[in-house]
Amino acid sequence: AQSVTQLGSHVSVSEGALVLLRCNYSSSVPPYLFWYVQYPNQGLQLLLKYTTGATLVKGINGFEAEFKKSETSFHLTKPSAHMSDAAEYFCAVSVPILTGGGNKLTFGTGTQLKVEL
Amino acid sequence: SQTIHQWPATLVQPVGSPLSLECTVEGTSNPNLYWYRQAAGRGLQLLFYSVGIGQISSEVPQNLSASRPQDRQFILSSKKLLLSDSGFYLCAWSGRRNTEAFFGQGTRLTVV
């Protein structure tokens, strides 16, 4: 069964510092991986996704993530944090729906990012 | 472009009362539809998904049910709410070929 583990439920960085949010996955098939961001009392917004091809994927708002099969990881990074990056971030792995097509996402427990002046 | 609407945004209901949350998608046809629940510190739990009208799959046993009366309408219901049903409920859709899901703005349900 597919699953994701996010290390660190809370991460705090200074404005302008590197952001690193960790995600490890478990999958019996080649995984599709995602990062979503959630602002308070809102839905989730897709930051970036990895399906196939280039292992370094770039997303919105300056975020990127690298798929490392040998480490079963998909960590999210941003070179320089901004106050507006403060939010909760979720890593997810896609599980195929065998009948009817499409996929369903299994999420990690989330990492709350705090950005300090 | 595709949009997803979910309402109401907030809801306070007494224990034992019924529930109906509605979600509609515009700008696409035959989407996969999902209901997730989010509890603090527990991430998002998939409750139900649907690959077509009248086709509902339940991921976890619970006090809730889902229905899909139309192609782009997904409803989450309960006959009698429990305190443990409180949470943030999110509706989402995805296409047959797309792998990512697109989320509504969520409903904050408080059962008192």
Side-chain angles (χ1 to χ4, degrees):
Chain A
Q2 285 80 351
S3 65
V4 292
T5 300
Q6 291 184 242
L7 300 176
S9 59
H10 291 81
V11 170
S12 184
V13 301
S14 299
E15 190 175 34
L18 171 72
V19 175
L20 171 61
L21 304 182
R22 299 179 186 274
C23 173
N24 288 87
Y25 71 90
S26 172
S27 178
S28 56
V29 298
Y32 290 172
L33 296 161
F34 308 83
W35 276 100
Y36 282 83
V37 61
Q38 184 183 33
Y39 298 98
N41 292 312
Q42 293 188 25
L44 277 70
Q45 180 182 10
L46 181 67
L47 275 178
L48 48 80
K49 66 179 180 181
Y50 169 78
T51 54
T52 59
T55 56
L56 181 63
V57 293
K58 296 184 183 299
I60 62 172
N61 301 338
F63 284 94
E64 62 183 35
E66 186 171 11
F67 170 65
K68 292 187 176 180
K69 184 177 179 181
S70 62
E71 299 177 8
T72 62
S73 68
F74 190 56
H75 302 330
L76 181 71
T77 61
K78 182 174 180 178
S80 177
H82 191 272
M83 295 296 289
S84 61
D85 295 326
E88 190 158 22
Y89 292 80
F90 292 91
C91 183
V93 63
S94 179
V95 178
I97 297 174
L98 298 178
T99 57
N103 303 273
K104 52 183 177 178
L105 299 183
T106 295
F107 286 85
T109 52
T111 298
Q112 186 70 46
L113 175 65
K114 182 178 181 181
V115 182
E116 300 174 319
L117 288 172
Chain B
S1 63
Q2 300 88 1
T3 56
I4 180 169
H5 303 281
Q6 186 181 343
W7 68 92
T10 60
L11 190 59
V12 180
Q13 292 285 97
V15 169
S17 64
L19 173 73
S20 181
L21 302 181
E22 188 164 342
C23 171
T24 59
V25 180
E26 296 178 356
T28 187
S29 59
N30 201 24
N32 286 343
L33 296 172
Y34 313 87
W35 278 111
Y36 283 87
R37 178 169 58 200
Q38 186 176 16
R42 297 179 62 182
L44 282 84
Q45 181 183 37
L46 179 61
L47 302 177
F48 301 95
Y49 66 89
S50 172
V51 299
I53 296 174
Q55 300 178 63
I56 308 296
S57 297
S58 175
E59 288 289 290
V60 293
Q62 59 202 304
N63 184 43
L64 302 168
S65 62
S67 62
R68 184 170 178 174
Q70 300 180 45
D71 181 46
R72 290 169 288 178
Q73 183 185 29
F74 205 25
I75 298 171
L76 183 69
S77 304
S78 174
K79 293 182 179 179
K80 290 185 177 182
L81 284 170
L82 306 172
L83 287 174
S84 57
D85 292 324
S86 294
F88 193 52
Y89 289 83
L90 290 156
C91 180
W93 75 272
S94 70
R96 286 289 182 267
R97 294 179 179 271
N98 291 344
T99 55
E100 66 266 37
F102 301 92
F103 285 81
Q105 291 299 295
T107 296
R108 175 75 58 191
L109 172 65
T110 304
V111 182
V112 296

